[in-house]
Amino acid sequence: MSTRTILDRYQTSASYLARILLRFSGLLLTVYMLTYIWELSTVIRTSDEPAGTAAAAFNTAMAAYNTTFWHITHAVVVALVVLHALTGLRVLTLEAGFGARFQRASFWLSLVLTVALFVLLFIKIIANLAA
């Protein structure tokens, strides 16, 4: 059996797509968390300065996250956490031997729930911008 035949067989399955999304969401969450921790650590490093300066630096850093871009980014992060958690639970049930029959349905359910949550968060963000 050639390699191309094996890859073709798994590229269209829900299981393959779920594995790719699980790894991709984990990678994006890791990059986001490392960036966020790095940003906050730069603020903490300034805390050796007088109290007023450190508080001002922290407030400036937090104000930078209070933009439309970061609100949407945080909605994406919440959706990624939900997707990662639901697909991770799916993997756990498969490994435990419970979810083999519901593999495709559980993947699509986790994807639909994630998209629905993101849409609701996005609507909330847009409504807060309009207010």
Side-chain angles (χ1 to χ4, degrees), residues 19-128:
R19 274 185 258 133
I20 294 298
L21 286 176
L22 181 66
R23 284 162 178 81
F24 186 67
S25 64
L27 178 67
L28 289 178
L29 288 170
T30 301
V31 168
Y32 174 80
M33 288 305 297
L34 290 174
T35 305
Y36 192 73
I37 290 169
W38 178 73
E39 174 67 26
L40 289 181
S41 71
T42 60
V43 174
I44 291 171
R45 275 187 246 132
T46 63
S47 65
D48 295 337
E49 299 172 7
T53 308
F58 182 78
N59 289 337
T60 302
M62 290 298 106
Y65 287 111
N66 197 17
T67 63
T68 304
F69 171 77
W70 284 108
H71 289 295
I72 293 171
T73 301
H74 291 145
V76 169
V77 167
V78 169
L80 284 172
V81 167
V82 169
L83 178 66
H84 195 74
L86 290 175
T87 53
L89 285 172
R90 179 187 162 279
V91 169
L92 287 175
T93 58
L94 285 172
E95 289 179 355
F98 299 122
R101 275 187 273 152
F102 308 108
Q103 180 175 205
R104 184 180 303 264
S106 65
F107 165 69
W108 288 111
L109 179 65
S110 65
L111 197 60
V112 166
L113 288 175
T114 300
V115 169
L117 177 70
F118 176 74
V119 168
L120 290 174
L121 288 172
F122 190 76
I123 289 170
K124 183 178 181 200
I125 291 167
I126 298 302
N128 286 342

